Each structure stands twice: as C-alpha cells, then as structure tokens.
Amino acid sequence: MSNMFCFQCEQTAGGKSCTGKAGVCGKQDTTANFQDKLTGALIGLSRAAKHSVPTDNTHRIMMEGLFTTVTNVSFNDSTLQDLIEEIHREKEKLYAGAEDIDMNTIWNGNEDIRSLKSLILFGIRGMAAYAYHAYVLGYTDNDVNQFFYEALSAIGEDSFEIAQLLPIVLKTGEINLKCMELLNQANTESYGTPVPVTVPLTVEKGPFIVVSGHDLLDLKQLLEQTKDKGINIYTHGEMLPAHGYPKLKEYPHLKGNFGTAWQNQQKEFLDIPAPVLFTTNCLMPVKDSYRDRVFTTAVVSYPEMVHIDERKDFTPVIEKALELGGYSRDTEFTGINGGKTVTTGFSHGTVLSVADKVIDAVKAGDISHFFLVGGCDGAKPGRNYYTDFVKQTPEDSIILTLACGKYRFNDLNLGEIGGLPRIMDMGQCNDAYSAIKVAIALAEAFDCGVNDLPLTLVLSWYEQKAVCILLTLLHLGIKNILLGPTLPAFVSPNILNFLVENYALTPISTPEEDLKKILG
C-alpha cells in the first residue's frame, strides 16, 4: 500500500493533509489505507442495498463500519481487516455484483466535488456514532438507517456535480438532527432526564476505574458489575455528562471525574494506579508506561490492548483495578483553571423548565446575551481562545456549553444570574440537540427567528461528530457561526465561499475582536 492521504480532522498536517507514513493523530499509513478500503467496501454495500432490502444486521455493520473510521477510534489493522471481510460477506448476501470503490478516485478528483463528498462522508461518520449509541439501547430510525446508504451511494457516484451534491450535504444535517433526537430519546428513556449536578475532581483512596468515551450503556454495565466490590468509578472526557442522569446517579460508587480533555491523556494517565476503559473514540496512541492499564470495547481497538467483546464481561478491568489498588489517600486534582469541581446536567429539559425565569431575565435586562461555546477540544495551539473568550464575556451573559471543548473553561466560577449559573454544561457533543431545542424555544417565546436572538454560536471542531453538528445547524438556517481554531482542510475555497455567502460562517479571530463585533 502507498502512503496515506487523510484530512478529516482539525490537526491534519500543515492544515492540508496527512500524507506520510503516519498521521498527526498517530494513525499509521497502513491503518489509514485500511480505513479507506473499509469505506470503499461500505460504498459497495450501499450499492448492493439497491438490489435487496438491508436487514438489521446490515444496518449494524453499516453503523459500525462508519463509526470505526472516525478519528481516534481504531488503530488496529487486524480488526479493520476483519470488518472489511464482514462487510463483504454481508454484501454477498444482498447482491454479489455490487463493486467497492477505490477512495483515491475521490481524493484525487476535482477539489470542489471532493470537498462536498468529504462533508457528506465525514458527516455520516459522526452521525453513525450517534446512531450506534442509540442502537445498542434498542432505538433505531428507518430514515437514519436508509440515509447511510443514500449518502454513500452519492459519494460513489462519478457523475454527480455540485448541484446534485449540495442538497445531500444539507440533508446530512437534516437527518443528523433526527439521529440526535433519537439518541436523546434513547438516553433519557433509559437513564432519565439529566439534572444539574456538581462533580468533584478529587479521587478518593482505594481501587478505581476511569471510563472514557461516550457510551452510557457501557458505563451502566460496568457500574452494575462493580457494585459492592469496593471499586469507585470516575468519568473522563465526554463521559462527564453521565453524572447528570438520575438512573446512573443511583450508583453511589460513581464518584467524580478524572482528568481534563482527551488530548491530555498521555500525561494524565502516566502514573495513574488504575485501569482506563475506552468505550468510544478519543483514544490516543498508548504510551508504554500505562499500556498494561488500557482496555477497549465496542469499535475502539488498539494493537495488543485487552479488548472487551460484545458480551461485556468487564472482569479483566475489575481485576486490574483491584491489583493496582488506587491511591493510598484521597488525591485532589483540578481543572485547567484551578477549579476543584465542574458542573453538568443542564439538558434542554432542565433549562426549559425554568424558561419563564430566563425570559423574564432577558426582558428585565438581566441577561444581555447567550453564547453557545462548545465543540471538540484538541492539542493544537490557539485553543486558549475559548478560555479567554469565556472569561471576557459580559457578566450579564449566559454561556451554554457542550462536548469536550468545555474543559477549557468548565472549572471557572463565573457566578450566577437570577439563581442560574452563568456556565451551563448541556452534555456530550450529541447534546447539541438540547442547545437547538433551547434556541428554538427562546425564538418562539420572543416571536422571532433563531438568527434574531441575542445568541452567538462559537464552535470548536476536531473530528467528524462536529462536522455533522455543523451541517445540522446549516440545515436549520443558523447563521453567523464562529468556527475555529482553524477551518477544515477538506473544504475547498469555492465551497467555503458558498458557506460564507449563504450562512455567514466565519473563522474566529481574537476574543477581543470577536466580542466587539458580536456586542457592537
């Protein structure tokens, strides 16, 4: 196989593409090429689905295949090969004559066509992650499932031009909204509506396990298997919002949150006397100093790591926790700004339950502006912009946040307005659905459009889940979004101009300049 070509994440080399023997994320060229082959096989599967009705198993394979190619999910060539073979077997059942495609035909094609196809592909990769989390809880949506085949077929279509691809880009955002709604239903019906909660960053003495990623079902199963074993459970990264769900809060050994955002794991896990379970993406290349303590499950895979299969028997993780023993005394950690606690659980259900107070505060002039500052965190320089931006927001403004970008500022204490904290964490990246619901409700209350609200979206992106959320916002017609820390390398100048002209999508500059522009 040749050197890799990959430009799907924010940290891509030189802001253009990773093309050597390894990507900036640590993915090797062989792995990147297997992921391209896997994507080409999924396009073949989508073609086969035109000849025969896909089954529930076909849908599962489609979701897993797309999810596996999200950044920082799989670094394991052998598991990718196994999945490619499974896709081929499924394709044979539907229609043996359907051909895979060579993704290089897209990467080497017209840059505007490549840009639109990349927006669709990376969007459905992020959406597949959300669909998968709903699927394991027993929730599916036929429109979501069918769109994966439709979108992949369009990506593999040589004759499609800009006029045919643009509507599919926006439809990706439309279907992702349904997918986020589905996952919200799955999570709230399974675990209850999140409620605000203060989460300590101190780790108590004794054995413990750190759980990273997004999958609440994996966390629930681990909590059940560790009951009465003297092992405490701590969330990490995007698992933090789990503390807000009533049925997960019922477990007294779900104690707190360990560490900060995902990109700091290589230093934060160096000497941790406990195992770490990765349930979804955000796994970084594992250092030798802690490789014996890392476990993966579901689609996450790393060479030579112990993988917990679909039976979800977490005994190896539990045994490692007991063996390592944890800290000998309570150990205090802080967020990046020195805070000792963080809060979460401000879902749309919670915020809308006090909507009358919020509306009254706006009418009385107590709240001047809402900022949604959220998205992915990352390691590239320049992301201190989001910390500085939040610190400089007016004292009479509210900051809504979600996803792991919040770790830049979620330990700040910015006070309250009318009993409401100025920083309200709405949850994981898929909980952008909550932010959308709140924005729509406020627009209805003030009898105006969302774009007319005193609301500004300041988004950070890193990987493909952020792409599908951005497409959802564009589908809804939301304008004047500030995006950073850099613009996606896969968006060509012509397509960027289209987004700027039609949606006023703008790159971030400095907190001072952007706030001056926003607030006049």
Side-chain angles (χ1 to χ4, degrees):
M1 289 186 174
S2 61
N3 285 350
M4 69 189 295
F5 174 84
C6 185
F7 60 175
Q8 72 173 5
C9 83
E10 175 262 338
Q11 65 181 359
T12 191
K16 295 180 179 179
S17 63
C18 294
T19 55
K21 290 291 184 182
V24 176
C25 70
K27 179 172 62 180
Q28 299 300 303
D29 59 340
T30 55
T31 307
N33 288 317
F34 274 125
Q35 290 186 347
D36 272 357
K37 189 175 180 182
L38 190 155
T39 304
L42 289 174
I43 291 173
L45 184 60
S46 73
R47 291 171 167 175
K50 294 179 180 179
H51 296 269
S52 186
V53 178
T55 65
D56 180 68
N57 190 55
T58 318
H59 298 328
R60 177 192 61 79
I61 292 170
M62 177 63 73
M63 284 183 273
E64 286 190 10
L66 287 167
F67 191 1
T68 296
T69 57
V70 169
T71 304
N72 291 78
V73 169
S74 179
F75 295 82
N76 196 332
D77 293 356
S78 63
T79 56
L80 292 170
Q81 285 179 294
D82 290 343
L83 187 49
I84 291 167
E85 291 172 6
E86 186 178 10
I87 294 167
H88 285 156
R89 287 193 298 271
E90 190 67 17
K91 185 179 70 173
E92 290 290 315
K93 294 177 185 177
L94 296 180
Y95 179 68
E99 294 185 356
D100 299 353
I101 76 159
D102 181 350
M103 292 301 292
N104 286 315
T105 61
I106 294 174
W107 305 144
N108 297 325
N110 174 278
E111 71 168 350
D112 293 333
I113 299 298
R114 179 180 72 177
S115 180
L116 291 172
K117 288 186 174 182
S118 295
L119 278 167
I120 297 167
L121 176 60
F122 303 156
I124 61 172
R125 283 177 175 175
M127 183 164 62
Y130 300 150
Y132 177 86
H133 294 315
Y135 174 83
V136 297
L137 290 172
Y139 291 74
T140 62
D141 183 283
N142 188 59
D143 289 343
V144 172
N145 291 336
Q146 292 303 321
F147 184 70
F148 291 131
Y149 305 98
E150 176 187 338
L152 284 167
S153 292
I155 292 166
E157 181 57 64
D158 292 334
S159 63
F160 275 17
E161 299 294 335
I162 290 175
Q164 292 157 299
L165 291 169
L166 267 175
I168 301 172
V169 171
L170 293 178
K171 188 173 180 181
T172 304
E174 175 188 359
I175 300 299
N176 183 59
L177 181 59
K178 291 194 73 169
C179 191
M180 290 194 295
E181 183 177 18
L182 176 72
L183 181 53
N184 176 75
Q185 179 190 4
N187 285 339
T188 55
E189 290 184 0
S190 298
Y191 309 116
T193 299
V195 295
V197 60
T198 298
V199 182
L201 302 180
T202 295
V203 177
E204 297 179 13
K205 67 178 181 179
F208 67 100
I209 297 170
V210 173
V211 186
S212 190
H214 304 71
D215 199 285
L216 299 177
L217 180 58
D218 285 333
L219 174 62
K220 170 74 160 57
Q221 291 170 313
L222 180 66
L223 286 167
E224 192 63 31
Q225 292 179 37
T226 49
K227 277 196 310 188
D228 305 319
K229 284 188 166 59
I231 299 173
N232 290 328
I233 306 298
Y234 292 84
T235 55
H236 173 264
E238 282 273 66
M239 198 62 83
L240 168 64
H243 292 276
Y245 287 94
K247 290 188 179 178
L248 298 177
K249 281 165 57 69
E250 290 175 359
Y251 292 90
H253 59 302
L254 178 60
K255 289 289 186 177
N257 191 71
F258 177 87
T260 53
W262 67 272
Q263 76 276 1
N264 298 320
Q265 64 190 257
Q266 289 180 327
K267 61 181 180 182
E268 291 180 345
F269 293 167
L270 274 179
D271 56 359
I272 180 175
V276 182
L277 173 67
F278 281 89
T279 65
T280 59
N281 58 314
C282 301
L283 171 65
M284 294 182 75
V286 182
K287 291 186 174 293
D288 289 342
S289 61
Y290 62 89
R291 66 170 42 247
D292 65 319
R293 286 164 272 161
V294 171
F295 297 80
T296 61
T297 192
V299 298
V300 192
S301 187
Y302 197 88
E304 300 177 9
M305 298 291 101
V306 176
H307 186 78
I308 307 300
D309 64 22
E310 63 275 6
R311 292 171 293 182
K312 301 297 180 181
D313 179 358
F314 292 112
T315 299
V317 190
I318 293 168
E319 289 177 345
K320 179 59 72 171
L322 294 171
E323 173 194 331
L324 293 170
Y327 295 108
S328 58
R329 57 182 176 82
D330 292 357
T331 304
E332 190 176 89
F333 295 93
T334 65
I336 66 168
N337 301 289
K340 297 178 182 180
T341 63
V342 292
T343 59
T344 190
F346 290 91
S347 66
H348 67 273
T350 294
V351 177
L352 294 181
S353 71
V354 293
D356 54 338
K357 292 182 181 179
V358 174
I359 293 165
D360 289 344
V362 174
K363 289 179 177 177
D366 296 331
I367 297 177
S368 66
H369 208 88
F370 296 89
F371 296 94
L372 173 61
V373 186
C376 311
D377 206 351
K380 253 187 172 181
R383 286 183 176 266
N384 58 311
Y385 166 95
Y386 297 95
T387 311
D388 295 338
F389 185 96
V390 168
K391 285 181 177 179
Q392 293 178 41
T393 53
E395 292 182 1
D396 59 354
S397 64
I398 294 288
I399 296 96
L400 305 174
T401 189
L402 48 83
C404 61
K406 62 176 164 269
Y407 280 100
R408 293 278 168 174
F409 52 82
N410 68 338
D411 63 323
L412 290 171
N413 183 2
L414 298 185
E416 297 182 343
I417 300 177
L420 298 171
R422 284 195 55 216
I423 296 179
M424 290 191 271
D425 175 26
M426 308 193 86
Q428 297 180 343
C429 52
N430 53 280
D431 290 311
Y433 175 74
S434 273
I436 290 167
K437 292 283 284 186
V438 168
I440 292 172
L442 287 173
E444 290 174 352
F446 290 104
D447 194 24
C448 66
V450 172
N451 292 315
D452 300 316
L453 288 170
L455 168 68
T456 302
L457 278 65
V458 186
L459 305 182
S460 55
W461 81 284
Y462 174 76
E463 43 91 334
Q464 296 72 63
K465 294 176 185 176
V467 174
C468 65
I469 291 169
L470 177 63
L471 296 182
T472 293
L473 296 173
L474 299 183
H475 154 71
L476 292 169
I478 295 175
K479 298 183 178 182
N480 299 305
I481 299 170
L482 288 169
L483 185 65
T486 58
L487 293 176
F490 54 81
V491 175
S492 67
N494 287 334
I495 301 305
L496 178 59
N497 287 338
F498 172 84
L499 295 176
V500 171
E501 290 173 6
N502 288 274
Y503 299 99
L505 187 67
T506 308
I508 60 171
S509 56
T510 67
E512 294 80 7
E513 290 175 8
D514 289 340
L515 280 165
K516 184 178 179 181
K517 180 180 176 183
I518 293 164
L519 301 172

